[in-house]
Amino acid sequence: MDSRVHLAGDAAHVHSVMGAFGLNASMMDSSNLAWKIGLCARGLAKLSALVPTYDQERRHHAQRIIRISGSYLRFVCGSETPLADFDNNDGSAQSSGVVRYEAGKDRGFLRDFFSANDQFILGVDVLTTPTPLVQRRAASRALLHLGTVFELQTLVFASPLLRLDIIHLVIFASDLRGPIRKALIRLSSELTSPHAFFQTYGARTRFSPVLVCKGLPSEVALILDVDEQLAGLKQYCKILYDDRAPDEDAHSCYEVSHARGAIVVVRPDLWIGTSCFVDDVQSLAEYFGRWLLPISRSPSRGVYTNGVAKHDGVVKGKDGTLTDPPSERSESID
C-alpha cells in the first residue's frame, strides 16, 4: 500500500498558536482519515479511490491554517516576514501583505480579518476542491455548500448504535403524498431491488436511511402501514417526524422542495458528500460506484462471500501490502 504512514493534526503541520487551530485540525484530520482506512482495510471500498481523498480534502485546510495564523501573528508582532506561497510546489515565501501595526489601522485589520475568517476559525470548514466523495451538485440552494457538517446530526445521528463506517441517507419526503409520491415509490423499489445501489453495497450494513416526514407520527404511520408501494421505506428507514410550523420545518430550513424532496448523503464523518432530488436516485449509484465495492449475498449460507483469502479481514498481496480486493467480499449478516 502506497503512503503507509498518514499524518494528522499537529504531526502534519506546524503553525503559529494564534487562533488555537491545533485541536480542531487534529480532530477533523483524524475523523476524515479513520473511516476511509477502515473501509479499505475491510475490503469495503476501493483503496485507490478512497485513501487519496484524505490529502485532497485536508491539505487545503492545513495550508489555510498556516496562512491565517501566520497573518495574525505577523500583525500582532508587527513583522513583515513573508508567508509561505502554497501555489508553488516548493513552498517558497511570498510577500504576505499583512497590515503592520499603525495607529488607527489595527481595528480595520481585525474587522477585515475576522469577517473573512470567522467561520474557519470556529471550525466550520468548507471543501473547495471536488473529490470523489464531494460531488458538486445539490437538490436545494441551502445544500449547495457540500463538504460541510450536516446540522441535523444532533437529531438523527445521536445513537448508541452509531458506527464509524455507516453512511447516512437523509431523505426529505414531505408528507409522503402529492407530487413527491411517485418518486418515493421508485425510491422504495430501489431500496429493495437486489440490483440497485442500496442492496449492491450492503443495505443496512452500510447505509442508515433516515426519512424526514412532514407530519405527526400517527399521520405518517397511517400512510406507511397501508401503502404497499412504500413498503421499502418502512422496512429500511429510520423515521424523523417533522411537525414544526411550515416556515420552521426541515424542508423550509434547507430550502427543499416539497414537490421533489431531496436525498442527502452524509458521510461517516458526518460531512455532506452529495445530494440529489428523490427522482434522481440513479445519480447515487454513480456516486457510490466511484469508491464503494459491491457485495453479494449467498442464499445458502446467509453470508456475503467471494472466496477471497483474508488475514484479520484485510486483503493482502504477496508482499504483505494492502490491495484493492475483487468486487465482492465476505461479511456475516447480523
Side-chain angles (χ1 to χ4, degrees):
M1 175 182 175
D2 292 336
S3 303
R4 284 175 172 270
V5 177
H6 300 275
L7 301 178
D10 290 343
H13 26 84
V14 178
H15 55 82
S16 162
V17 299
M18 305 299 289
F21 291 106
L23 180 60
N24 275 348
S26 298
M27 295 176 64
M28 295 168 76
D29 285 353
S30 299
S31 64
N32 183 287
L33 179 62
W35 68 273
K36 297 174 181 178
I37 291 181
L39 288 182
C40 291
R42 295 168 56 198
L44 298 168
K46 301 173 184 177
L47 182 71
S48 58
L50 194 56
V51 172
T53 62
Y54 171 62
D55 180 82
Q56 296 166 9
E57 293 179 354
R58 297 303 300 160
R59 177 178 292 272
H60 174 76
H61 181 97
Q63 292 174 344
R64 190 174 177 188
I65 286 177
I66 294 173
R67 281 195 292 263
I68 292 177
S69 63
S71 295
Y72 196 39
L73 177 65
R74 284 158 176 74
F75 165 74
V76 171
C77 298
S79 171
E80 293 184 327
T81 303
L83 294 169
D85 180 7
F86 294 108
D87 294 328
N88 296 329
N89 293 331
D90 59 0
S92 59
Q94 66 170 358
S95 176
S96 63
V98 175
V99 178
R100 298 178 60 188
Y101 177 82
E102 296 181 31
K105 292 188 175 182
D106 53 335
R107 292 184 180 179
F109 171 83
L110 292 174
R111 181 189 64 248
D112 295 341
F113 178 83
F114 285 104
S115 295
N117 303 306
D118 57 345
Q119 296 300 303
F120 184 81
I121 293 173
L122 291 173
V124 183
D125 193 12
V126 178
L127 299 174
T128 58
T129 303
T131 74
L133 301 183
V134 179
Q135 184 174 311
R136 293 299 183 187
R137 54 181 300 152
S140 81
R141 288 181 293 171
L143 296 176
L144 282 171
H145 298 294
L146 304 177
T148 60
V149 177
F150 192 61
E151 296 178 2
L152 274 179
Q153 64 191 53
T154 55
L155 298 177
V156 179
F157 311 116
S159 167
L161 301 179
L162 182 64
R163 303 206 322 260
L164 189 59
D165 58 348
I166 285 293
I167 301 165
H168 300 278
L169 305 175
V170 183
I171 305 163
F172 290 84
S174 187
D175 60 2
L176 304 178
R177 295 171 293 191
I180 198 175
R181 183 174 182 276
K182 183 177 180 180
L184 289 174
I185 291 174
R186 179 185 174 189
L187 174 60
S188 178
S189 176
E190 289 279 327
L191 294 179
T192 58
S193 171
H195 306 295
F197 83 90
F198 186 74
Q199 299 290 338
T200 297
Y201 296 114
R204 289 290 292 271
T205 66
R206 192 62 49 239
F207 301 101
S208 175
V210 178
L211 193 67
V212 182
C213 298
K214 178 64 178 175
L216 297 170
S218 58
E219 297 171 332
V220 175
L222 186 62
I223 297 175
L224 293 180
D225 288 346
V226 300
D227 195 335
E228 295 183 357
Q229 293 181 300
L230 300 180
L233 298 178
K234 180 180 178 181
Q235 178 181 357
Y236 288 108
C237 293
K238 179 189 302 181
I239 301 176
L240 177 64
Y241 305 98
D242 185 6
D243 59 353
R244 291 179 177 270
D247 58 342
E248 297 178 348
D249 63 19
H251 288 71
S252 297
C253 291
Y254 284 94
E255 301 182 26
V256 175
S257 166
H258 281 274
R260 299 193 66 182
I263 303 176
V264 183
V265 175
V266 183
R267 307 180 340 179
D269 55 2
L270 301 184
W271 290 64
I272 297 176
T274 189
S275 66
C276 66
F277 292 112
V278 175
D279 58 8
D280 188 25
V281 68
Q282 181 57 36
S283 65
L284 298 183
E286 299 171 1
Y287 172 76
F288 291 118
R290 296 190 184 101
W291 49 281
L292 283 180
L293 287 171
I295 54 181
S296 65
R297 182 173 181 176
S298 169
S300 60
R301 301 196 312 169
V303 298
Y304 294 115
T305 180
N306 65 357
V308 176
K310 297 180 178 65
H311 177 69
D312 294 333
V314 178
V315 180
K316 294 187 176 182
K318 294 181 179 180
D319 59 353
T321 60
L322 292 175
T323 60
D324 279 333
S327 60
E328 298 176 352
R329 68 175 299 277
S330 177
E331 181 180 335
S332 298
I333 299 177
D334 295 332

CSV table of all heavy atoms in Angstrom, one decimal, residues 68-117:
chain,number,residue,atom,x,y,z
A,68,ILE,N,-3.6,31.8,7.8
A,68,ILE,CA,-4.4,32.6,8.7
A,68,ILE,C,-3.6,32.9,10.0
A,68,ILE,O,-3.5,34.0,10.5
A,68,ILE,CB,-5.7,32.0,9.0
A,68,ILE,CG1,-6.6,32.0,7.7
A,68,ILE,CG2,-6.5,32.7,10.1
A,68,ILE,CD1,-7.9,31.3,7.8
A,69,SER,N,-3.1,31.8,10.7
A,69,SER,CA,-2.4,32.0,11.9
A,69,SER,C,-1.2,32.8,11.7
A,69,SER,O,-0.8,33.7,12.6
A,69,SER,CB,-2.1,30.7,12.6
A,69,SER,OG,-1.2,29.9,11.7
A,70,GLY,N,-0.5,32.6,10.6
A,70,GLY,CA,0.7,33.4,10.3
A,70,GLY,C,0.4,34.9,10.1
A,70,GLY,O,1.2,35.7,10.5
A,71,SER,N,-0.7,35.2,9.4
A,71,SER,CA,-1.1,36.6,9.2
A,71,SER,C,-1.4,37.3,10.5
A,71,SER,O,-0.9,38.4,10.7
A,71,SER,CB,-2.3,36.6,8.3
A,71,SER,OG,-2.0,36.1,7.0
A,72,TYR,N,-2.1,36.6,11.4
A,72,TYR,CA,-2.5,37.2,12.7
A,72,TYR,C,-1.2,37.4,13.5
A,72,TYR,O,-1.1,38.4,14.2
A,72,TYR,CB,-3.4,36.3,13.4
A,72,TYR,CG,-4.2,36.9,14.5
A,72,TYR,CD1,-4.6,38.2,14.4
A,72,TYR,CD2,-4.5,36.2,15.7
A,72,TYR,CE1,-5.3,38.8,15.5
A,72,TYR,CE2,-5.1,36.8,16.7
A,72,TYR,CZ,-5.6,38.1,16.6
A,72,TYR,OH,-6.2,38.7,17.6
A,73,LEU,N,-0.3,36.4,13.5
A,73,LEU,CA,0.9,36.5,14.3
A,73,LEU,C,1.8,37.7,13.8
A,73,LEU,O,2.3,38.5,14.6
A,73,LEU,CB,1.7,35.3,14.2
A,73,LEU,CG,3.1,35.3,14.9
A,73,LEU,CD1,2.9,35.4,16.4
A,73,LEU,CD2,3.9,34.0,14.6
A,74,ARG,N,1.8,37.9,12.5
A,74,ARG,CA,2.6,39.0,11.9
A,74,ARG,C,2.0,40.3,12.2
A,74,ARG,O,2.7,41.3,12.4
A,74,ARG,CB,2.8,38.8,10.4
A,74,ARG,CG,3.8,37.7,10.1
A,74,ARG,CD,3.6,37.1,8.7
A,74,ARG,NE,4.6,36.2,8.3
A,74,ARG,CZ,4.7,34.9,8.8
A,74,ARG,NH1,3.8,34.5,9.7
A,74,ARG,NH2,5.6,34.1,8.4
A,75,PHE,N,0.7,40.4,12.3
A,75,PHE,CA,0.0,41.6,12.7
A,75,PHE,C,0.3,42.0,14.2
A,75,PHE,O,0.7,43.1,14.5
A,75,PHE,CB,-1.5,41.5,12.5
A,75,PHE,CG,-2.3,42.6,13.2
A,75,PHE,CD1,-2.3,43.8,12.7
A,75,PHE,CD2,-3.0,42.3,14.4
A,75,PHE,CE1,-3.1,44.8,13.3
A,75,PHE,CE2,-3.7,43.3,15.0
A,75,PHE,CZ,-3.8,44.5,14.5
A,76,VAL,N,0.2,41.0,15.0
A,76,VAL,CA,0.5,41.2,16.5
A,76,VAL,C,1.9,41.6,16.7
A,76,VAL,O,2.2,42.5,17.5
A,76,VAL,CB,0.1,39.9,17.3
A,76,VAL,CG1,0.6,40.1,18.7
A,76,VAL,CG2,-1.4,39.7,17.2
A,77,CYS,N,2.9,41.0,16.0
A,77,CYS,CA,4.3,41.2,16.2
A,77,CYS,C,4.8,42.4,15.3
A,77,CYS,O,6.0,42.8,15.5
A,77,CYS,CB,5.1,40.0,15.9
A,77,CYS,SG,4.7,38.6,17.0
A,78,GLY,N,4.0,42.9,14.4
A,78,GLY,CA,4.5,43.9,13.5
A,78,GLY,C,5.5,43.4,12.6
A,78,GLY,O,6.5,44.2,12.2
A,79,SER,N,5.5,42.2,12.2
A,79,SER,CA,6.5,41.5,11.4
A,79,SER,C,6.1,41.6,9.9
A,79,SER,O,5.0,41.5,9.5
A,79,SER,CB,6.7,40.1,11.8
A,79,SER,OG,7.5,39.4,10.9
A,80,GLU,N,7.2,41.7,9.1
A,80,GLU,CA,7.0,41.7,7.6
A,80,GLU,C,7.6,40.4,7.0
A,80,GLU,O,7.8,40.3,5.8
A,80,GLU,CB,7.7,42.9,7.0
A,80,GLU,CG,7.0,44.2,7.4
A,80,GLU,CD,7.6,45.4,6.6
A,80,GLU,OE1,8.8,45.4,6.4
A,80,GLU,OE2,6.9,46.4,6.3
A,81,THR,N,7.8,39.4,7.9
A,81,THR,CA,8.3,38.2,7.4
A,81,THR,C,7.3,37.6,6.4
A,81,THR,O,6.1,37.4,6.8
A,81,THR,CB,8.6,37.2,8.5
A,81,THR,OG1,9.5,37.8,9.5
A,81,THR,CG2,9.1,35.8,8.0
A,82,PRO,N,7.7,37.2,5.2
A,82,PRO,CA,6.7,36.7,4.2
A,82,PRO,C,6.1,35.4,4.6
A,82,PRO,O,6.8,34.5,5.3
A,82,PRO,CB,7.6,36.6,2.9
A,82,PRO,CG,9.0,36.5,3.4
A,82,PRO,CD,9.1,37.3,4.7
A,83,LEU,N,4.9,35.1,4.2
A,83,LEU,CA,4.3,33.8,4.4
A,83,LEU,C,4.7,32.9,3.3
A,83,LEU,O,5.2,33.3,2.2
A,83,LEU,CB,2.8,34.0,4.3
A,83,LEU,CG,2.1,34.8,5.5
A,83,LEU,CD1,0.7,35.1,5.1
A,83,LEU,CD2,2.2,34.1,6.8
A,84,ALA,N,4.5,31.6,3.5
A,84,ALA,CA,4.7,30.5,2.5
A,84,ALA,C,3.7,30.7,1.4
A,84,ALA,O,2.6,31.0,1.6
A,84,ALA,CB,4.7,29.2,3.1
A,85,ASP,N,4.2,30.5,0.2
A,85,ASP,CA,3.4,30.5,-1.0
A,85,ASP,C,3.1,29.1,-1.4
A,85,ASP,O,3.9,28.4,-2.0
A,85,ASP,CB,4.1,31.2,-2.2
A,85,ASP,CG,3.3,31.3,-3.4
A,85,ASP,OD1,2.1,30.9,-3.3
A,85,ASP,OD2,3.8,31.8,-4.5
A,86,PHE,N,1.9,28.6,-1.1
A,86,PHE,CA,1.5,27.2,-1.4
A,86,PHE,C,1.1,27.0,-2.8
A,86,PHE,O,0.7,25.9,-3.2
A,86,PHE,CB,0.4,26.8,-0.4
A,86,PHE,CG,0.8,26.7,1.0
A,86,PHE,CD1,0.4,27.6,1.9
A,86,PHE,CD2,1.7,25.7,1.4
A,86,PHE,CE1,0.8,27.6,3.2
A,86,PHE,CE2,2.2,25.7,2.7
A,86,PHE,CZ,1.7,26.6,3.6
A,87,ASP,N,1.0,28.1,-3.6
A,87,ASP,CA,0.7,28.0,-5.0
A,87,ASP,C,1.9,27.4,-5.8
A,87,ASP,O,1.8,27.0,-6.9
A,87,ASP,CB,0.3,29.3,-5.6
A,87,ASP,CG,-1.1,29.7,-5.0
A,87,ASP,OD1,-1.9,28.9,-4.7
A,87,ASP,OD2,-1.3,31.0,-4.9
A,88,ASN,N,3.1,27.5,-5.1
A,88,ASN,CA,4.3,27.0,-5.7
A,88,ASN,C,4.6,25.6,-5.1
A,88,ASN,O,4.5,25.4,-3.9
A,88,ASN,CB,5.5,27.9,-5.5
A,88,ASN,CG,5.3,29.2,-6.2
A,88,ASN,OD1,4.7,29.3,-7.3
A,88,ASN,ND2,5.8,30.3,-5.6
A,89,ASN,N,5.1,24.7,-5.9
A,89,ASN,CA,5.4,23.3,-5.3
A,89,ASN,C,6.5,23.3,-4.3
A,89,ASN,O,6.5,22.5,-3.4
A,89,ASN,CB,5.7,22.4,-6.5
A,89,ASN,CG,4.6,22.1,-7.4
A,89,ASN,OD1,3.4,22.2,-7.0
A,89,ASN,ND2,4.9,21.9,-8.7
A,90,ASP,N,7.4,24.3,-4.4
A,90,ASP,CA,8.5,24.3,-3.4
A,90,ASP,C,8.2,25.1,-2.1
A,90,ASP,O,9.0,25.1,-1.2
A,90,ASP,CB,9.7,24.9,-4.1
A,90,ASP,CG,9.5,26.4,-4.5
A,90,ASP,OD1,8.4,26.9,-4.3
A,90,ASP,OD2,10.4,27.0,-5.1
A,91,GLY,N,6.9,25.6,-2.0
A,91,GLY,CA,6.6,26.3,-0.8
A,91,GLY,C,7.4,27.5,-0.5
A,91,GLY,O,7.5,27.9,0.7
A,92,SER,N,7.9,28.1,-1.5
A,92,SER,CA,8.7,29.3,-1.3
A,92,SER,C,7.9,30.5,-0.7
A,92,SER,O,6.7,30.5,-0.8
A,92,SER,CB,9.3,29.7,-2.7
A,92,SER,OG,8.3,30.0,-3.6
A,93,ALA,N,8.6,31.4,-0.1
A,93,ALA,CA,7.9,32.5,0.6
A,93,ALA,C,7.5,33.6,-0.4
A,93,ALA,O,8.0,33.7,-1.5
A,93,ALA,CB,8.9,33.1,1.6
A,94,GLN,N,6.5,34.3,0.0
A,94,GLN,CA,6.0,35.4,-0.8
A,94,GLN,C,5.6,36.6,0.1
A,94,GLN,O,5.5,36.4,1.3
A,94,GLN,CB,4.7,35.0,-1.6
A,94,GLN,CG,3.5,34.7,-0.8
A,94,GLN,CD,2.3,34.6,-1.6
A,94,GLN,OE1,2.3,34.8,-2.8
A,94,GLN,NE2,1.2,34.3,-0.9
A,95,SER,N,5.4,37.7,-0.4
A,95,SER,CA,5.1,38.9,0.4
A,95,SER,C,3.7,38.6,1.0
A,95,SER,O,2.7,38.2,0.3
A,95,SER,CB,5.0,40.1,-0.5
A,95,SER,OG,4.5,41.2,0.3
A,96,SER,N,3.6,38.8,2.3
A,96,SER,CA,2.3,38.4,3.0
A,96,SER,C,1.3,39.5,2.9
A,96,SER,O,0.1,39.2,3.0
A,96,SER,CB,2.6,38.2,4.5
A,96,SER,OG,3.1,39.4,5.1
A,97,GLY,N,1.7,40.7,2.6
A,97,GLY,CA,0.7,41.8,2.6
A,97,GLY,C,0.0,42.1,3.9
A,97,GLY,O,-1.1,42.6,3.9
A,98,VAL,N,0.6,41.7,5.0
A,98,VAL,CA,0.0,41.8,6.3
A,98,VAL,C,0.1,43.3,6.7
A,98,VAL,O,1.1,43.9,6.5
A,98,VAL,CB,0.7,40.9,7.3
A,98,VAL,CG1,0.1,41.2,8.7
A,98,VAL,CG2,0.5,39.5,7.0
A,99,VAL,N,-1.0,43.8,7.3
A,99,VAL,CA,-1.0,45.2,7.8
A,99,VAL,C,-0.2,45.3,9.0
A,99,VAL,O,-0.4,44.6,10.0
A,99,VAL,CB,-2.5,45.7,8.0
A,99,VAL,CG1,-2.5,47.1,8.6
A,99,VAL,CG2,-3.3,45.6,6.8
A,100,ARG,N,0.8,46.1,9.0
A,100,ARG,CA,1.6,46.3,10.2
A,100,ARG,C,0.8,47.2,11.2
A,100,ARG,O,-0.1,47.9,10.8
A,100,ARG,CB,2.9,47.0,9.9
A,100,ARG,CG,3.8,46.2,9.0
A,100,ARG,CD,5.1,46.9,8.6
A,100,ARG,NE,5.8,47.2,9.9
A,100,ARG,CZ,6.9,48.0,9.9
A,100,ARG,NH1,7.3,48.6,8.7
A,100,ARG,NH2,7.5,48.3,11.0
A,101,TYR,N,1.2,47.1,12.5
A,101,TYR,CA,0.5,47.9,13.5
A,101,TYR,C,0.8,49.4,13.2
A,101,TYR,O,1.9,49.8,13.2
A,101,TYR,CB,0.9,47.5,14.9
A,101,TYR,CG,0.3,48.4,15.9
A,101,TYR,CD1,-1.0,48.1,16.4
A,101,TYR,CD2,0.9,49.5,16.4
A,101,TYR,CE1,-1.6,48.9,17.3
A,101,TYR,CE2,0.3,50.4,17.4
A,101,TYR,CZ,-1.0,50.0,17.8
A,101,TYR,OH,-1.6,50.8,18.7
A,102,GLU,N,-0.3,50.1,13.0
A,102,GLU,CA,-0.2,51.6,12.8
A,102,GLU,C,-1.4,52.1,13.6
A,102,GLU,O,-2.5,51.6,13.5
A,102,GLU,CB,-0.2,52.0,11.4
A,102,GLU,CG,1.0,51.5,10.6
A,102,GLU,CD,0.9,51.9,9.1
A,102,GLU,OE1,0.4,53.0,8.9
A,102,GLU,OE2,1.4,51.2,8.3
A,103,ALA,N,-1.2,53.2,14.2
A,103,ALA,CA,-2.3,53.9,15.0
A,103,ALA,C,-3.5,54.1,14.1
A,103,ALA,O,-3.4,54.7,13.0
A,103,ALA,CB,-1.8,55.2,15.6
A,104,GLY,N,-4.6,53.6,14.6
A,104,GLY,CA,-5.9,53.8,13.8
A,104,GLY,C,-6.2,52.8,12.8
A,104,GLY,O,-7.3,52.7,12.2
A,105,LYS,N,-5.2,51.9,12.5
A,105,LYS,CA,-5.4,50.9,11.5
A,105,LYS,C,-5.6,49.5,12.0
A,105,LYS,O,-6.0,48.5,11.3
A,105,LYS,CB,-4.3,50.9,10.5
A,105,LYS,CG,-4.2,52.1,9.6
A,105,LYS,CD,-3.2,52.0,8.5
A,105,LYS,CE,-3.2,53.2,7.6
A,105,LYS,NZ,-2.3,53.0,6.4
A,106,ASP,N,-5.3,49.3,13.3
A,106,ASP,CA,-5.4,47.9,13.9
A,106,ASP,C,-6.9,47.5,13.9
A,106,ASP,O,-7.2,46.3,13.6
A,106,ASP,CB,-4.9,47.9,15.3
A,106,ASP,CG,-5.5,49.0,16.2
A,106,ASP,OD1,-5.9,50.0,15.7
A,106,ASP,OD2,-5.5,48.8,17.4
A,107,ARG,N,-7.9,48.3,14.2
A,107,ARG,CA,-9.2,47.9,14.2
A,107,ARG,C,-9.7,47.5,12.8
A,107,ARG,O,-10.5,46.6,12.6
A,107,ARG,CB,-10.1,49.0,14.7
A,107,ARG,CG,-9.9,49.3,16.2
A,107,ARG,CD,-10.9,50.4,16.7
A,107,ARG,NE,-10.7,50.7,18.1
A,107,ARG,CZ,-11.4,51.6,18.8
A,107,ARG,NH1,-12.3,52.3,18.2
A,107,ARG,NH2,-11.2,51.8,20.1
A,108,GLY,N,-9.2,48.2,11.8
A,108,GLY,CA,-9.6,47.9,10.4
A,108,GLY,C,-9.1,46.5,10.0
A,108,GLY,O,-9.8,45.7,9.4
A,109,PHE,N,-7.8,46.2,10.4
A,109,PHE,CA,-7.3,44.9,10.1
A,109,PHE,C,-8.1,43.8,10.8
A,109,PHE,O,-8.5,42.8,10.2
A,109,PHE,CB,-5.8,44.8,10.6
A,109,PHE,CG,-5.3,43.4,10.5
A,109,PHE,CD1,-4.8,42.9,9.3
A,109,PHE,CD2,-5.3,42.6,11.6
A,109,PHE,CE1,-4.3,41.6,9.2
A,109,PHE,CE2,-4.8,41.3,11.6
A,109,PHE,CZ,-4.3,40.8,10.4
A,110,LEU,N,-8.4,44.0,12.1
A,110,LEU,CA,-9.1,43.0,12.9
A,110,LEU,C,-10.5,42.8,12.3
A,110,LEU,O,-11.0,41.6,12.2
A,110,LEU,CB,-9.2,43.4,14.4
A,110,LEU,CG,-7.9,43.3,15.1
A,110,LEU,CD1,-8.0,43.9,16.5
A,110,LEU,CD2,-7.3,41.9,15.2
A,111,ARG,N,-11.2,43.9,11.9
A,111,ARG,CA,-12.5,43.7,11.3
A,111,ARG,C,-12.5,42.9,10.0
A,111,ARG,O,-13.2,42.0,9.9
A,111,ARG,CB,-13.1,45.1,11.0
A,111,ARG,CG,-14.5,45.1,10.4
A,111,ARG,CD,-14.9,46.5,10.0
A,111,ARG,NE,-14.1,47.0,8.9
A,111,ARG,CZ,-13.3,48.0,9.0
A,111,ARG,NH1,-13.2,48.7,10.1
A,111,ARG,NH2,-12.5,48.4,8.0
A,112,ASP,N,-11.5,43.3,9.2
A,112,ASP,CA,-11.4,42.5,7.9
A,112,ASP,C,-11.0,41.1,8.1
A,112,ASP,O,-11.5,40.2,7.4
A,112,ASP,CB,-10.5,43.2,7.0
A,112,ASP,CG,-10.9,44.6,6.6
A,112,ASP,OD1,-12.2,44.9,6.7
A,112,ASP,OD2,-10.1,45.5,6.2
A,113,PHE,N,-10.1,40.9,9.0
A,113,PHE,CA,-9.5,39.5,9.3
A,113,PHE,C,-10.6,38.6,9.8
A,113,PHE,O,-10.8,37.5,9.3
A,113,PHE,CB,-8.4,39.6,10.3
A,113,PHE,CG,-7.8,38.3,10.6
A,113,PHE,CD1,-6.8,37.8,9.8
A,113,PHE,CD2,-8.2,37.6,11.8
A,113,PHE,CE1,-6.2,36.5,10.2
A,113,PHE,CE2,-7.6,36.4,12.1
A,113,PHE,CZ,-6.6,35.9,11.3
A,114,PHE,N,-11.3,39.0,10.8
A,114,PHE,CA,-12.3,38.1,11.4
A,114,PHE,C,-13.6,38.0,10.5
A,114,PHE,O,-14.3,37.0,10.5
A,114,PHE,CB,-12.7,38.6,12.8
A,114,PHE,CG,-11.6,38.2,13.8
A,114,PHE,CD1,-10.8,39.2,14.3
A,114,PHE,CD2,-11.4,36.9,14.2
A,114,PHE,CE1,-9.8,38.9,15.2
A,114,PHE,CE2,-10.5,36.6,15.1
A,114,PHE,CZ,-9.6,37.6,15.6
A,115,SER,N,-13.9,39.0,9.7
A,115,SER,CA,-15.0,38.9,8.8
A,115,SER,C,-14.7,37.9,7.7
A,115,SER,O,-15.6,37.1,7.3
A,115,SER,CB,-15.3,40.3,8.1
A,115,SER,OG,-15.7,41.3,9.1
A,116,ALA,N,-13.5,37.8,7.3
A,116,ALA,CA,-13.1,36.9,6.2
A,116,ALA,C,-12.9,35.5,6.8
A,116,ALA,O,-13.1,34.5,6.0
A,116,ALA,CB,-11.9,37.4,5.5
A,117,ASN,N,-12.5,35.3,8.0
A,117,ASN,CA,-12.1,34.0,8.5
A,117,ASN,C,-12.8,33.5,9.8
A,117,ASN,O,-12.5,32.5,10.3
A,117,ASN,CB,-10.6,34.1,8.9
A,117,ASN,CG,-9.7,34.5,7.7
A,117,ASN,OD1,-9.8,33.9,6.7
A,117,ASN,ND2,-8.9,35.6,8.0
